[in-house]
Amino acid sequence: MRLLTTCMALMWLFSLHAQETYSLAECIEYTLKNHPSMGVYENNERIARAQTTQSIAGYLPQVNGSANFTDNLKLQTTVLPAGIFGPQPAEVQFGTQYNTVVGVDFSQTIYDQSKIIGIKAGKPYEAMTQLQQELNKESLMYNTAIAYFQVLILREQRSILESNQNKFEELVATLSTQQKQGVIMSKEVDRAKVSLNTTNYQLEDVVRKEQLSVNTLKNTMGMSLDHPLTIREDLDYESFSSFPMNNELALEYLTSFKINKQQIALQEINVKMQRAKYLPTLNFVGKYAYQSLNNDFSQAFTDWNNFSYIGLGLKVPIFSGLGRYSKLREEQLILENDRSNFLLNQRNMQLNFENASVSVGTAYTSFKSNWDNLNLAEDLLEVTEYQYKQGAVGLTDFLNDDTAYKNAQSNYINSLYNLMISQLNYQKAQGTLTEFIDTLK
């Protein structure tokens, strides 16, 4: 067991030596540069800009070229009434068999209120995608910090266990010597060995968990699992209690709050666009073309005659089978839902803030209590250890106090992790996550 633990620790330390060292800020910087979701949201911003250009294009001149060739296999027969060309009705055919037209059509929207509103929606939509990108960044920062803290805590726990391991190795060696000299019984050595074996198992388990947590951190950062990585261990834990806390929540600083407001603004634009479809539209149109009419196929593309026209097109909506009304009503209901959800989300944001405030206060109290208890247990163990070496107390008393010290260590580690996570949740709830992480650099 001891050999296996030593080999694992040596392999782990060797791999750490070959890895790059990252601080929390550097991990977050790597995440924001390399996580796949960043590319997705950047593309969404480009899509928003492209859609803005499309909406503007709808109000710019539209020019299209066209070419048509028609073979009238059988011309339509028209019957002229009697008296026009004679006393009897006459059957005649107008037109030519081959008709070729090549030209350019152009149009310009003069007035279309729905298109005007659509153009105005471009900038708010771009602002929405930027806010969504910002929210994604905050989520990536939060997830990276959580994974980073997990590695830190396991590394802190490993350091404590390694210290305990060294202490029990020395104790077992001393007791084994005393047993050989006949000073103590073998069961005293066995008791110490049990504590050593338990520590070895716990250390082996923590080493495995630490390796897994590093892989989780890599995945959160968007880093390949085979990429070397280790983290710095000089994080200032006092920052988790010294960062200023606010008693009131300023909703306007929350990115999710801004997104909700922007979503309502965009939906209000959608409602206006649907209302505008009840209004007339006016377009300027024109055409310039060449036409060839012939009954001989060999002459179908000769003898060109040009023609052109310009005009105005007015379109007045009258009845659309209730399509416009139902679409307008749909958008109005969506707007009502957005406004209701906005109020619900504000309450949830406030509730999250209140819960996070209580949690961070409770976590800090627990941390301080466990820190004091750890120091007390350590002092008590030092006294008992000294008394044991002097023969004033037995091994059982020493092991009991050592167990109490280990429990205090475990409670301290757990309360430290809870404090780190609760403080992170609190900063996220009040919209100061970026500023808080900057203090941890």
Side-chain angles (χ1 to χ4, degrees):
M1 178 68 71
R2 169 62 181 153
L3 179 61
L4 177 60
T5 303
T6 303
C7 291
M8 290 185 64
L10 288 175
M11 291 175 62
W12 181 240
L13 290 173
F14 177 78
S15 64
L16 292 181
H17 181 73
Q19 293 175 356
E20 300 179 47
T21 302
Y22 283 75
S23 65
L24 175 59
E26 289 168 338
C27 285
I28 290 176
E29 181 181 359
Y30 186 97
T31 302
L32 298 181
K33 288 182 179 179
N34 297 277
H35 199 277
S37 66
M38 291 297 296
V40 173
Y41 282 92
E42 287 173 359
N43 286 338
N44 287 341
E45 288 190 41
R46 296 188 184 99
I47 291 172
R49 288 193 291 269
Q51 291 179 343
T52 299
T53 302
Q54 293 171 24
S55 63
I56 295 174
Y59 228 95
L60 296 177
Q62 308 295 309
V63 182
N64 298 288
S66 63
N68 296 290
F69 171 75
T70 303
D71 182 354
N72 297 306
L73 298 176
K74 186 174 182 180
L75 294 173
Q76 182 178 356
T77 300
T78 301
V79 178
L80 298 177
I84 296 180
F85 294 104
Q88 299 296 328
E91 295 182 355
V92 297
Q93 292 178 324
F94 295 101
T96 57
Q97 182 175 355
Y98 302 106
N99 187 356
T100 306
V101 179
V102 178
V104 175
D105 297 275
F106 58 91
S107 64
Q108 169 64 57
T109 301
I110 297 177
Y111 176 76
D112 189 328
Q113 187 62 29
S114 65
K115 289 183 178 180
I116 295 174
I117 296 174
I119 292 173
K120 294 179 180 179
K123 293 301 180 182
Y125 184 64
E126 289 184 40
M128 169 68 88
T129 58
Q130 291 172 357
L131 288 172
Q132 290 172 339
Q133 172 75 300
E134 185 63 30
L135 184 63
N136 180 57
K137 288 181 179 179
E138 292 178 6
S139 297
L140 292 177
M141 293 171 64
Y142 175 83
N143 294 335
T144 302
I146 289 288
Y148 188 93
F149 293 162
Q150 182 66 45
V151 177
L152 271 185
I153 287 298
L154 289 170
R155 192 153 296 175
E156 183 82 8
Q157 190 173 358
R158 175 167 62 86
S159 177
I160 291 174
L161 289 172
E162 287 173 345
S163 176
N164 293 339
Q165 183 189 56
N166 293 332
K167 180 181 66 176
F168 275 106
E169 285 176 346
E170 294 175 359
L171 178 61
V172 169
T174 300
L175 292 176
S176 297
T177 301
Q178 292 177 351
Q179 181 195 10
K180 292 177 182 179
Q181 296 173 349
V183 177
I184 62 172
M185 300 177 62
S186 60
K187 67 177 183 179
E188 301 291 325
V189 180
D190 292 340
R191 287 174 179 171
K193 285 183 177 180
V194 169
S195 296
L196 175 60
N197 291 336
T198 300
T199 302
N200 288 338
Y201 168 77
Q202 292 173 341
L203 179 58
E204 180 183 336
D205 183 58
V206 167
V207 169
R208 284 196 298 262
K209 289 180 178 178
E210 186 178 351
Q211 292 172 331
L212 294 176
S213 66
V214 170
N215 287 338
T216 300
L217 176 59
K218 289 179 182 179
N219 184 65
T220 304
M221 294 168 58
M223 179 184 288
S224 173
L225 295 182
D226 57 2
H227 191 284
L229 170 68
T230 187
I231 66 173
R232 291 169 52 186
E233 302 180 21
D234 56 351
L235 185 64
D236 181 14
Y237 295 117
E238 291 298 324
S239 301
F240 293 94
S241 58
S242 60
F243 198 82
M245 297 179 61
N246 298 322
N247 295 326
E248 296 184 0
L249 175 63
L251 287 172
E252 61 273 13
Y253 291 110
L254 297 179
T255 305
S256 54
F257 177 84
K258 297 176 184 178
I259 289 177
N260 287 164
K261 286 189 65 176
Q262 198 67 31
Q263 185 175 356
I264 291 176
L266 286 172
Q267 189 55 36
E268 288 174 344
I269 291 175
N270 287 340
V271 172
K272 291 179 181 179
M273 288 178 63
Q274 294 303 319
R275 285 175 177 162
K277 291 184 178 180
Y278 282 90
L279 301 176
T281 60
L282 181 64
N283 295 280
F284 174 78
V285 296
K287 186 179 184 70
Y288 183 83
Y290 284 87
Q291 183 178 45
S292 175
L293 304 173
N294 214 299
N295 287 314
D296 186 354
F297 180 77
S298 62
Q299 302 296 320
F301 302 98
T302 61
D303 299 331
W304 295 96
N305 296 301
N306 65 339
F307 69 95
S308 61
Y309 66 81
I310 59 173
L312 293 174
L314 178 65
K315 183 178 180 181
V316 181
I318 297 177
F319 183 70
S320 63
L322 299 179
R324 281 190 300 271
Y325 172 78
S326 60
K327 183 61 179 176
L328 174 59
R329 186 55 182 159
E330 176 187 347
E331 298 296 338
Q332 289 174 333
L333 292 173
I334 292 175
L335 178 59
E336 290 181 14
N337 287 341
D338 286 344
R339 287 171 174 167
S340 298
N341 290 331
F342 182 48
L343 295 176
L344 292 174
N345 290 337
Q346 288 185 63
R347 295 175 183 175
N348 290 333
M349 293 173 196
Q350 187 66 44
L351 177 62
N352 289 337
F353 174 74
E354 297 294 340
N355 291 341
S357 299
V358 174
S359 295
V360 74
T362 302
Y364 180 71
T365 302
S366 176
F367 169 74
K368 291 295 292 182
S369 175
N370 283 298
W371 170 251
D372 294 338
N373 192 50
L374 175 63
N375 292 328
L376 180 62
E378 184 178 15
D379 293 340
L380 179 61
L381 179 61
E382 288 178 356
V383 173
T384 304
E385 185 176 6
Y386 174 77
Q387 292 176 336
Y388 171 72
K389 291 179 179 179
Q390 300 299 319
V393 298
L395 180 62
T396 300
D397 293 328
F398 170 74
L399 293 178
N400 287 339
D401 286 346
D402 181 76
T403 299
Y405 177 61
K406 288 180 179 177
N407 290 335
Q409 289 176 325
S410 178
N411 292 335
Y412 163 73
I413 290 294
N414 291 333
S415 62
L416 174 59
Y417 182 70
N418 290 335
L419 175 61
M420 296 166 74
I421 299 304
S422 61
Q423 182 66 271
L424 200 65
N425 290 333
Y426 172 76
Q427 302 302 332
K428 181 181 179 183
Q430 73 167 356
T432 55
L433 180 63
T434 302
E435 294 83 350
F436 173 67
I437 289 180
D438 286 339
T439 66
L440 304 179
K441 292 182 179 179

